Amino acid sequence: MSNRAESVLVGLIGEGVMPSLTPPMHEREADVQGLRLLYRPIDLLELALPAAAVGDLLTAAQHMGFNGLNITHPCKQLVMKHLDEISDDAARLGAVNTVLIQDGRYIGHNTDFSGFGSALADGLPDAHLDRVVQLGAGGAGSAVAYALLKAGVKELDLVDMDANRAAERAAELGELFPEASVTPHTPNELAQLMPRTDGLVHCTPIGMAAHPGLPLDIELLEPRHWVADIVYRPIDTQLVREARAKGCAVLDGGRMAVGQAADAFQLITGRVADRERMRAHFLELIAQEEAAASLNGGTLAKAAR
Ligand SMILES: NC(=O)C1=CN([C@@H]2O[C@H](COP(=O)(O)OP(=O)(O)OC[C@H]3O[C@@H](n4cnc5c(N)ncnc54)[C@H](O)[C@@H]3O)[C@@H](O)[C@H]2O)C=CC1
Ligand SMILES: O=C1C[C@@](O)(C(=O)O)C[C@@H](O)[C@@H]1O
């Protein structure tokens, strides 16, 4: 038996979270550090609960002695009205993916943006950040764009096939970062944008096992560009492979997945996670998944993200 101060109980609330690699990443890191930590997925689909149940689940988690929660699709905005305190960045970004339960209070943070930010700094330390093209302005893309602007990107070209979404996100981000220029575009403008950019960040689902292929004409990529993909199932997406073959400096999507987990681990446990050790474990898990999928004829697509 142990209490909240002696061991750590964490959950992940969202739809389709059973295949998530975040629980094993936290548990392994805690094991190595000699910390007793259990991390359970709480899947709204399995429980047949609507996204609006997130508030009741927070209360239940508090009653049951949870120390913290990760929150994912479709609850990252919905959860905010149930919180007692929200970090400045999460409030500005308008999304929470980590909730600490402390002294009966709920405190929200966002480690998607901080995880991408540290991934970029660690994985592409020499990347020029004056001008960046970002493809995809959805949920994850919003956190990534926020991180890019915080990292000092001066001109961010936000490209999405949904022109309204690109325009809305660009306007929101432009207000948050008035010193930068954030411009919305559609994919048919990429031929004009790529020759002017330092790097490309990819945040659409293209390249996932369920959506194979390339998100842009690969001829537009030059060896001087750096490329960051956030898709990590598979870890070597076609974009990652072809960018590497061209000689581009490349960041794979696993870096962000590990970054968000490492930052949440630190917030929840108060201990610093060893990111390289966590990444090595993450790559092991992905390799196991990819090997199992190739035995089953490519059903990696079943994994949610
Ligand atoms: N590395 C990590 O930690 C994470 C990675 N992901 C990856 O990021 C991908 C995107 O996730 P979300 O932003 O949550 O999805 P989302 O569905 O909220 O957004 C995707 C956006 O891409 C746009 N889009 C789709 N196809 C496009 C194309 N061909 N050209 C231009 N725009 C296009 C859509 O209009 C939409 O705005 C996921 O599929 C997943 O693979 C997601 C979350 C975390
Ligand atoms: O969106 C994501 C992905 C995630 O849900 C996962 O399954 O790894 C974990 C969340 O913390 C993060 O915000």
Side-chain angles (χ1 to χ4, degrees):
M1 194 187 83
S2 66
N3 63 32
R4 231 184 261 242
E6 292 161 346
S7 63
V8 183
L9 193 53
V10 190
L12 168 61
I13 298 177
E15 288 184 358
V17 295
M18 298 315 284
S20 173
L21 299 180
T22 295
M25 277 197 274
H26 278 240
E27 288 186 348
R28 170 81 73 94
E29 180 60 20
D31 283 352
V32 177
Q33 295 200 20
L35 177 69
R36 189 173 285 186
L37 179 148
L38 282 180
Y39 189 129
R40 291 274 155 82
I42 300 163
D43 197 321
L44 295 171
L45 296 179
E46 299 242 328
L47 295 168
L49 286 173
V54 67
D56 292 338
L57 289 173
L58 287 191
T59 308
Q62 189 195 150
H63 289 168
M64 291 191 287
F66 277 68
N67 299 69
L69 297 161
N70 276 135
I71 308 289
T72 192
H73 177 79
C75 301
K76 287 183 184 181
Q77 280 85 31
L78 279 171
V79 74
M80 294 178 78
K81 65 173 182 242
H82 301 286
L83 305 178
D84 298 296
E85 195 181 320
I86 299 180
S87 75
D88 284 349
D89 284 311
R92 274 158 61 85
L93 179 48
V96 161
N97 84 319
T98 303
V99 175
L100 311 182
I101 305 175
Q102 288 172 350
D103 304 322
R105 299 177 77 244
Y106 304 111
I107 304 158
H109 292 268
N110 187 300
T111 69
D112 290 323
F113 97 85
S114 62
F116 180 81
S118 56
L120 186 68
D122 293 350
L124 292 176
D126 301 322
H128 287 285
L129 295 176
D130 285 345
R131 186 155 196 164
V132 175
V133 169
Q134 180 179 318
L135 255 175
S142 300
V144 167
Y146 186 88
L148 288 168
L149 291 161
K150 270 207 98 151
V153 168
K154 295 190 182 85
E155 294 184 62
L156 180 62
D157 292 307
L158 209 47
V159 182
D160 200 291
M161 62 195 288
D162 180 337
N164 291 334
R165 180 171 294 175
E168 273 169 30
R169 289 287 138 78
E172 286 161 13
L173 290 161
E175 272 191 29
L176 293 175
F177 295 91
E179 67 286 6
S181 145
V182 188
T183 323
H185 301 276
T186 49
N188 58 9
E189 294 170 78
L190 282 166
Q192 285 83 55
L193 298 173
M194 290 304 291
R196 308 199 306 243
T197 192
D198 294 314
L200 172 76
V201 182
H202 173 242
C203 306
T204 86
I206 310 291
M208 293 177 76
H211 305 280
L214 282 167
L216 83 169
D217 176 359
I218 204 68
E219 294 305 318
L220 296 176
L221 213 54
E222 303 168 36
R224 67 175 183 84
H225 288 135
W226 56 265
V227 175
D229 201 345
I230 71 160
V231 174
Y232 63 84
R233 275 176 166 139
I235 192 78
D236 284 335
T237 59
Q238 191 175 346
L239 175 63
V240 162
R241 292 197 313 272
E242 300 211 12
R244 272 196 200 120
K246 284 209 174 209
C248 300
V250 173
L251 186 78
D252 66 52
R255 294 266 176 197
M256 177 180 177
V258 171
Q260 64 78 27
D263 288 354
F265 182 92
Q266 183 168 352
L267 285 166
I268 295 167
T269 66
R271 295 185 182 213
V272 177
D274 180 325
R275 285 163 199 269
E276 285 313 313
R277 179 166 63 210
M278 232 183 194
R279 174 162 167 90
H281 180 218
F282 173 85
L283 291 177
E284 241 177 66
L285 294 167
I286 286 281
Q288 283 165 12
E289 223 178 63
E290 291 183 1
S294 69
L295 280 178
N296 294 332
T299 47
L300 185 63
K302 274 198 185 143
R305 283 186 180 276

